[in-house]
Structure formats: C-alpha cells, structure tokens
Amino acid sequence: MIPTLPDRLITELQQRLLAWYAVNRRDLPWRGRSDPYEILVAEVMLQQTGVERVAAVYERFLAEFPSFAALAAARRQEVLRAWAGLGYNRRAVYLHECARVVVERHGGCLPSEPEALRRLPGLGPYTVAALLSFAFGRDVPAIDTNVRRVLGRLFSLAPRDERQLRAAAELLVPAGRSVDWNQALMDLGAVLCTAGQPRCSLCPLEDLCGWSRGQQEARRNGDRVSMALRVAERPEPYLGSRRFLRGRVVAILRDLAPGTLLTIEDLQARLAAVGAHVEISHLEEIVRSLAAEGLATAREDDHDVRIGPPD
Ligand code: SF4
C-alpha cells in the first residue's frame, strides 16, 4: 500500500535521490539533448533494447537521419539498415511512419500536446510521458520498467497495482525538475535497484524503503522471503524462435539491392546458411506477417511467394 505521503517524506526522497543522481548519473549520448526528434529516436530505441546496444547505434542513426524531414524522406530499407543491431524492427517502421506524419501534419515539428502525441504512430503511454518530460519539460512521471521496480519496492506496492503506482509517481515529481527526477529514478533502477539483487546498502533511500525493511525483517526471522522474491522477479527465459527467424529474415532483406525479390526457397537457403533451418510453410507465414507490418515486400501468385526489402 502506498501511504499518504507526507510532504516532508516527499521532500526527503526528492532531495536524497537528486543528490545521489548529481554524483552518479550515467553519461549517455541522448542525455542533455533538447531536440524533440533526437529525444524521440532515443526513446523508441530504448523501448526494448539495452543502453549499450542503443549507444552503439544512436549517433550513427542521427548522423544519417538528422531530422524528421530526413527520416521521412528515407526509404524503408535504409531505415531498417540503420536500425541494424537493435532488434524489434517493428519499432523502426513506427518511427519511420511517425516521421512522415510529423512532416505531413505538423510541419516537421513534434507537437507538444499529449493528445496530439498520442495520435502519432507507435507512441504508447510511456513514450508520450517521456517526451512530455524530456522534450517539453512538463512535470509528469515517465514510468519505465526501472521506475516501476524502484517505486514498487520503495512503497511495497502490489505487483500490477497501476493506480497506486501512478499515484506515487505523480506525487513525487519535483516541480520544474522532472527531467532530472525521471532520469534519477531510471538510473537508480539500472545501477542499484536492479531486478536481480538490489544493492540496498549503497542506496540513498535505504532507510525509507519498504523492500529494504522487509528484507531486514526476513533476515531477522531467518525465513526465505528474499529468495522467494528474487525468484519471483526473475524474467522468464526467452524461447521465441519465431522472433529469431523474423530478425534473420529482416537482416537478409535489408542487405539486398532495392527492388530485388527472392523466391521462398532462396530465402530458406540463405537462412540455412546462417544456421536457421525452417520449413517452407512456416517461412511463408513469417514472410506474410513481415509484409503486413511494413518490414518486407511480398509478391504472391498461384504458385509462388517472392519476398524483398520493403518499398
Ligand atoms: S533500498 Fe534497495 S530496494 Fe529500496 S529503492 Fe534502494 S536499492 Fe531499491
């Protein structure tokens, strides 16, 4: 349960975390930027990819597509090529479509109103909140996985209690400091309050934290609570061979000359050459789904399926 947070507790949490952040903040290539386009690119890349892999691609992507206009004018295949290394290619399609809408409907400038942002392709609640804070300085919380975990532990919130989580997050944003505050929570979650074993002894919030108190209590009682909680938080192992195959197909297509079409058998052979063996019927189904999502071009007649890079 989230307590009714007294003002002095809110102030204490804010001061301690911001002081910790001033010394421990991660130096990341998208930090300190004010161009909404550059912030949007980072947020979309970070949605499902770790910071190290994003850092390796981010500046190169911006050098190739420095603005909404440049991205909107690019071919889909060029965008997918620049996206290589990040995975979850559907995000590149959304970002590309988003750039086209921003150019066509907003003159190449990202709108700053929440409703207009929500109408853009591929922008979910988290990305909209992150843009409002990082690009437009609004006092709103940006609740990503790290922030969710930190606040959940801090206030001993029930898992998936979205209402309590949001209430806590909104109460805590310091007026005029949402950028630092949101990034501070994210950094605490990435560096100390990690999914596996939080390093509470180094945390500036330790004596205020429900999780930490619970752990100390459990140790005193000699029970196995901490082990059970750690196991409960461990992510499910990834078993998605379908995702793997989709990624391999996209990688093959983005290196083809524009307009090239492969037969399904040729594609099957190219996949086999990189160790991915797949039945023709399964491959056809993957090809159709990639084409439906704008990640490929598929041409079908009665006898044949051919596939190429997206138009
Ligand atoms: S004391 Fe531990 S569990 Fe609580 S916020 Fe800090 S690192 Fe996370």
Side-chain angles (χ1 to χ4, degrees):
M1 280 288 291
I2 181 173
T4 53
L5 295 178
D7 287 349
R8 69 181 147 65
L9 175 59
I10 294 175
T11 305
E12 185 75 26
L13 287 165
Q14 291 170 338
Q15 288 177 344
R16 286 201 205 175
L17 187 56
L18 288 172
W20 175 85
Y21 176 69
V23 177
N24 295 285
R25 59 174 282 158
R26 291 177 297 169
D27 185 19
L28 300 170
W30 44 89
R31 292 259 168 103
R33 293 179 185 256
S34 57
D35 182 335
Y37 169 73
E38 295 175 357
I39 293 167
L40 173 63
V41 170
E43 289 303 328
V44 174
M45 288 183 173
L46 288 164
Q47 279 168 8
Q48 287 152 302
T49 306
V51 292
E52 292 82 10
R53 282 169 64 197
V54 172
V57 172
Y58 179 66
E59 286 175 325
R60 197 179 66 222
F61 188 96
L62 288 184
E64 189 168 352
F65 309 114
S67 65
F68 282 113
L71 184 59
R75 294 172 59 92
R76 176 67 48 82
Q77 187 184 8
E78 294 170 333
V79 178
L80 290 171
R81 224 176 255 157
W83 196 263
L86 295 173
Y88 294 98
N89 295 290
R90 188 85 184 110
R91 292 175 299 162
V93 173
Y94 278 131
L95 185 60
H96 195 202
E97 288 173 356
C98 181
R100 288 176 171 169
V101 173
V102 168
V103 168
E104 284 164 16
R105 297 198 200 142
H106 302 284
C109 296
L110 194 69
S112 60
E113 289 308 312
E115 279 311 313
L117 288 171
R118 284 187 201 107
R119 283 196 291 272
L120 293 173
L123 268 58
Y126 165 75
T127 308
V128 169
L131 289 168
L132 290 172
S133 169
F134 300 149
F136 302 114
R138 302 276 187 90
D139 289 338
V140 296
I143 307 174
D144 71 354
T145 310
N146 283 335
V147 173
R148 190 173 290 278
R149 185 172 57 253
V150 171
L151 296 183
R153 286 173 172 168
L154 192 58
F155 298 115
S156 303
L157 300 177
R160 300 190 185 81
D161 189 340
E162 201 60 34
R163 194 176 60 82
Q164 297 275 21
L165 177 76
R166 181 149 293 282
E170 287 175 356
L171 276 174
L172 287 172
V173 179
R177 301 281 314 267
S178 80
V179 176
D180 284 346
W181 177 253
N182 286 321
Q183 290 178 350
L185 277 173
M186 290 172 186
D187 283 8
L188 189 76
V191 174
L192 296 182
C193 196
T194 51
Q197 180 58 59
R199 298 156 72 195
C200 301
S201 61
L202 301 176
C203 179
L205 312 180
E206 185 185 17
D207 58 312
L208 304 174
C209 175
W211 165 285
S212 180
R213 278 198 301 272
Q215 296 292 292
Q216 290 164 15
E217 184 77 12
R219 275 197 291 276
R220 274 198 295 277
N221 294 338
D223 64 20
R224 314 310 293 167
V225 171
S226 75
M227 179 60 76
L229 288 170
R230 283 207 297 279
V231 170
E233 279 223 339
R234 205 172 284 156
E236 290 288 315
Y238 175 67
L239 301 172
S241 62
R242 180 183 168 82
R243 195 188 123 207
F244 170 79
L245 285 171
R246 282 168 54 93
R248 295 283 77 72
V249 172
V250 169
I252 289 170
L253 298 182
R254 73 179 165 232
D255 292 333
L256 295 175
T260 305
L261 289 175
L262 302 177
T263 64
I264 202 79
E265 290 80 11
D266 191 3
L267 180 60
Q268 184 190 39
R270 289 175 186 236
L271 286 167
V274 293
H277 300 280
V278 55
E279 297 282 335
I280 288 284
S281 58
H282 188 199
L283 188 52
E284 285 179 348
E285 193 259 312
I286 287 174
V287 161
R288 287 191 187 99
S289 75
L290 290 173
E293 294 170 29
L295 288 161
T297 300
R299 303 250 187 280
E300 296 192 45
D301 58 31
D302 289 347
H303 310 290
D304 218 3
V305 178
R306 288 174 182 270
I307 182 166
D311 293 329

